[in-house]
C-alpha cells in the first residue's frame, strides 16, 4: 500500500477523538455545530477533544455526542467493543425478517387472484387502529404487514383499468407508509429507504393528494433523520409537497388539510434541528392555525395531526432547539392534553423527558420515561433518546436514581436482568 493511501479508520484501535472526528465529518457537521448541540461547547473545545489535547469526556457528555451524531452503536464512538449498546437503531424486531422478505419479493407470475381493494383497505384500517391502540404495536403491525404487502402489490399488478390501478396504488402506498413506521429505528437503513421510495412512487401513481402528502411527510422524516447533510433534501421534499397541496386547501377534505398541517410542522422540525429558532416557531404557528380549522375531535390516522398534538409539537421544537427551560414549560402546558395514539403519547413523554434532562431535572426525566414505558413499551425500547437518558442515569451518584434507572434499563433491554 502506498504511503499516501487513505487508511481504514477502524482497521486498528484508534483514539476517542479520532472516532469523534470521523463520525462528525460523516454527519456533515462542523465543530461549532456539534459543540453547540451537546451543550454550549466551543469549536475549539471539540477540536481539542478530537486531537487528544483533552481527555475523553465523561459518560453524560459522550451520550449527548452519541445522541447528536445518532450513532447506531455506542461502541462506534467509544471504541469499547465489550460494551455494544444499540441507540438509534434497535436490536431488530423479531418480525423484521418476515417484513423484509415481503418487501424484497418480486412475484412475476402470481398464482392467485388479489383480494378486493375494499378488503385490503379494511385490513389497513384495522392495522392503523392497532398501531395506535396496542402497547406492543410493533409486534401487532409486524404480524399484519407481510400479508398486506403481498396483497397490495398483487392488486396493483392485476388492475386492468386506469382508475382501478390508481386506487390500488393508493392502497399500496399506504401499506408502505405503515411499513415505514415499523421499519424505523430497525437495523436495516437500506430497507427503510426502499420502503420510503416505493411509497412515494406508488403515491405519485395514485394521483391522490392525501396519499402523496403522507408519502412526502415520511420521506422528509427519513432525510432529516439521516443527519445534517440531508436537511436540505428534507426541506426540498417538504416544500415540494406543500407547493402541491396548498392550492387545494380551499376545498380540501379534513385529511388533506391535516397532512398539509403535518408537513408544515415538519418544516419547522427540520428548522429546529438546524437551530433556526424563529423559523421553527413560525412554522409551528402556521401548523397550529391549520389544526384549528379541523373539527375538535379529528385525529389524523397516520401523522396524529390534530388540535391535541400541537402541545406535543411545541415540546419537540423546544427540545430540538436545546431550550431546556422552554421545553419543560411547554411540557407542563401540554400535560393535560390527551393524545389518543399510544406510541405518539409515549413519544411525547420521551420528548418531555429530554426537556427535563436538559433542564437538570433527571428524576423528572426518569419518571416521565417510566410513564412512557407503561404507555407503549416498544416505543421506548426503540427510541435512542430514551436510551441515552436511561444509560446516563445508571451511572448517577444518587443511589436511588441509579437504582430507578437500572430497573428501567433492564425493562428496555439495555442491561441484563
Amino acid at each position: 500500500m502506498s504511503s499516501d493511501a487513505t487508511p481504514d479508520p477502524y482497521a486498528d484501535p484508534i483514539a476517542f477523538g479520532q472516532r469523534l472526528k470521523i463520525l462528525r465529518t460523516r454527519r456533515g457537521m462542523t465543530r461549532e455545530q456539534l459543540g453547540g448541540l451537546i451543550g454550549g461547547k466551543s469549536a475549539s473545545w471539540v477540536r481539542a477533544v478530537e486531537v487528544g489535547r483533552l481527555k475523553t469526556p465523561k459518560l453524560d457528555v459522550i451520550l449527548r455526542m452519541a445522541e447528536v451524531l445518532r450513532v447506531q452503536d455506542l461502541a462506534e464512538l467509544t471504541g469499547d467493543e465489550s460494551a455494544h449498546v444499540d441507540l438509534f437503531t434497535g436490536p431488530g424486531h423479531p418480525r423484521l425478517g418476515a417484513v423484509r422478505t415481503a418487501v424484497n419479493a418480486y412475484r412475476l407470475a402470481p398464482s392467485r387472484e388479489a383480494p378486493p381493494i375494499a378488503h385490503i383497505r379494511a385490513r389497513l384500517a384495522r392495522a392503523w387502529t392497532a398501531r395506535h391502540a396496542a402497547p406492543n404495536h410493533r409486534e401487532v403491525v409486524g404480524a399484519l404487514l407481510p400479508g398486506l404487502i403481498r396483497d397490495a402489490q398483487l392488486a396493483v399488478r392485476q388492475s386492468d383499468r386506469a382508475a382501478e390501478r390508481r386506487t390500488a396504488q393508493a392502497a399500496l402506498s399506504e401499506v408502505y407508509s405503515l411499513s415505514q413506521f415499523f421499519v424505523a429505528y430497525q437495523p436495516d437503513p437500506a430497507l427503510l429507504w426502499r420502503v420510503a421510495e416505493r411509497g412515494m412512487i406508488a403515491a405519485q401513481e395514485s394521483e391522490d393528494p392525501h396519499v402523496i402528502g403522507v408519502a412526502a411527510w415520511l420521506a422528509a422524516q427519513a432525510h432529516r433523520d439521516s443527519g445534517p447533510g440531508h436537511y436540505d433534501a428534507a426541506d426540498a421534499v417538504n416544500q415540494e409537497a406543500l407547493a402541491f397541496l396548498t392550492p387545494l386547501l380551499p376545498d380540501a377534505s379534513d385529511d388533506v388539510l391535516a397532512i398539509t398541517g403535518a408537513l408544515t410542522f415538519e418544516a419547522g422540525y427540520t428548522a429546529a434541528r438546524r437551530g433556526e429558532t424563529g423559523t421553527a416557531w413560525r412554522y409551528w404557528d402556521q401548523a397550529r392555525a391549520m389544526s384549528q380549522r379541523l373539527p375538535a375531535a379529528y385525529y389524523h390516522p397516520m401523522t396524529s395531526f390534530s388540535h391535541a398534538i400541537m402541545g406535543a409539537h411545541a415540546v419537540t421544537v423546544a427540545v430540538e432547539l436545546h431550550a431546556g427551560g422552554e421545553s419543560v414549560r411547554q411540557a407542563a402546558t401540554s400535560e393535560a392534553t390527551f393524545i389518543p395514539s399510544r406510541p405518539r403519547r409515549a413519544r411525547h413523554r420521551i420528548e418531555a423527558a429530554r426537556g427535563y434532562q436538559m433542564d437538570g431535572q433527571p428524576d423528572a426525566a426518569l419518571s416521565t420515561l417510566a410513564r412512557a414505558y407503561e404507555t407503549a413499551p416498544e416505543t421506548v425500547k426503540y427510541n435512542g433518546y430514551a436510551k441515552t437518558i436511561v444509560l446516563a442515569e445508571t451511572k448517577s451518584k444518587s443511589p436511588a436514581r441509579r437504582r430507578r434507572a437500572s430497573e428501567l434499563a433492564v425493562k428496555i433491554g439495555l442491561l441484563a436482568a
Side-chain angles (χ1 to χ4, degrees):
M1 180 181 291
S2 64
S3 60
D4 61 349
T6 302
D8 178 355
Y10 293 111
D12 299 302
I14 59 175
F16 174 86
Q18 291 172 294
R19 288 177 176 272
L20 177 63
K21 182 178 180 179
I22 291 168
L23 291 168
R24 175 182 61 77
T25 303
R26 286 179 179 174
R27 280 287 174 187
M29 193 176 291
T30 66
R31 291 188 177 109
E32 183 177 16
Q33 288 172 328
L34 176 61
L37 290 172
I38 63 175
K41 301 292 187 181
S42 66
S44 59
W45 181 89
V46 174
R47 184 177 187 280
V49 173
E50 289 181 347
V51 301
R53 284 207 308 269
L54 291 177
K55 63 182 181 180
T56 301
K58 293 181 179 180
L59 179 62
D60 61 332
V61 178
I62 291 175
L63 288 170
R64 286 201 298 274
M65 290 174 170
E67 175 183 329
V68 170
L69 295 169
R70 294 183 68 84
V71 297
Q72 296 183 7
D73 185 330
L74 194 59
E76 291 181 60
L77 179 57
T78 64
D80 183 358
E81 295 300 319
S82 67
H84 289 280
V85 178
D86 294 314
L87 291 173
F88 284 88
T89 57
H93 194 278
R95 300 279 186 183
L96 178 61
V99 173
R100 182 192 296 116
T101 298
V103 171
N104 290 343
Y106 289 93
R107 294 174 178 83
L108 300 179
S111 58
R112 61 183 176 86
E113 186 176 347
I117 289 296
H119 183 264
I120 293 174
R121 284 226 158 266
R123 289 159 60 193
L124 258 174
R126 288 196 297 272
W128 282 114
T129 298
R131 183 190 179 268
H132 291 302
N136 59 333
H137 54 94
R138 283 183 183 270
E139 172 63 24
V140 176
V141 171
L144 297 172
L145 275 173
L148 273 170
I149 293 168
R150 287 191 290 267
D151 286 348
Q153 290 174 338
L154 197 59
V156 170
R157 287 199 297 274
Q158 294 182 2
S159 297
D160 295 326
R161 297 187 300 275
E164 180 184 288
R165 189 174 184 83
R166 287 195 296 270
T167 300
Q169 290 281 20
L172 178 60
S173 180
E174 190 173 324
V175 170
Y176 282 134
S177 293
L178 181 63
S179 301
Q180 190 169 336
F181 277 99
F182 176 84
V183 173
Y185 308 117
Q186 300 287 308
D188 195 340
L191 181 63
L192 173 69
W193 279 109
R194 196 148 56 248
V195 167
E197 289 169 356
R198 289 188 188 178
M200 179 61 81
I201 292 169
Q204 290 173 320
E205 292 293 325
S206 78
E207 300 181 12
D208 183 315
H210 175 248
V211 173
I212 291 170
V214 172
W217 181 76
L218 286 164
Q221 289 191 352
H223 281 295
R224 187 187 63 237
D225 287 345
S226 296
H230 296 259
Y231 290 170
D232 286 347
D235 283 336
V237 173
N238 243 319
Q239 296 305 325
E240 188 74 20
L242 286 171
F244 169 68
L245 292 171
T246 299
L248 307 177
L249 292 184
D251 301 311
S253 66
D254 289 341
D255 284 347
V256 170
L257 176 59
I259 192 57
T260 307
L263 282 159
T264 301
F265 171 71
E266 282 301 311
Y269 195 155
T270 304
R273 281 272 176 95
R274 292 181 189 272
E276 298 171 350
T277 302
T279 302
W281 285 115
R282 175 170 57 82
Y283 277 120
W284 181 86
D285 282 334
Q286 292 174 3
R288 181 181 58 176
M290 290 185 186
S291 75
Q292 291 171 344
R293 293 170 55 185
L294 293 165
Y298 176 88
Y299 200 79
H300 190 255
M302 292 85 168
T303 69
S304 297
F305 191 79
S306 58
H307 290 194
I309 209 65
M310 293 313 301
H313 282 340
V315 175
T316 296
V317 169
V319 167
E320 293 295 342
L321 290 169
H322 293 262
E326 177 63 16
S327 61
V328 168
R329 188 184 73 80
Q330 293 290 351
T333 301
S334 62
E335 182 62 30
T337 303
F338 179 74
I339 299 173
S341 168
R342 275 181 177 266
R344 189 60 186 85
R345 192 157 71 246
R347 184 186 151 202
H348 168 51
R349 286 172 176 162
I350 292 168
E351 297 290 89
R354 292 175 67 195
Y356 286 124
Q357 190 78 354
M358 288 179 191
D359 199 46
Q361 301 184 49
D363 288 316
L366 286 175
S367 295
T368 306
L369 285 179
R371 292 175 62 204
Y373 184 84
E374 291 170 3
T375 302
E378 289 186 330
T379 298
V380 178
K381 182 177 180 180
Y382 289 94
N383 187 281
Y385 298 117
K387 288 187 280 190
T388 55
I389 292 171
V390 172
L391 197 59
E393 295 309 322
T394 60
K395 304 295 183 181
S396 171
K397 293 180 180 179
S398 165
R401 189 183 306 142
R402 190 167 61 246
R403 182 173 59 254
R404 291 174 63 201
S406 297
E407 289 171 353
L408 189 52
V410 170
K411 289 181 180 178
I412 64 179
L414 282 174
L415 297 177

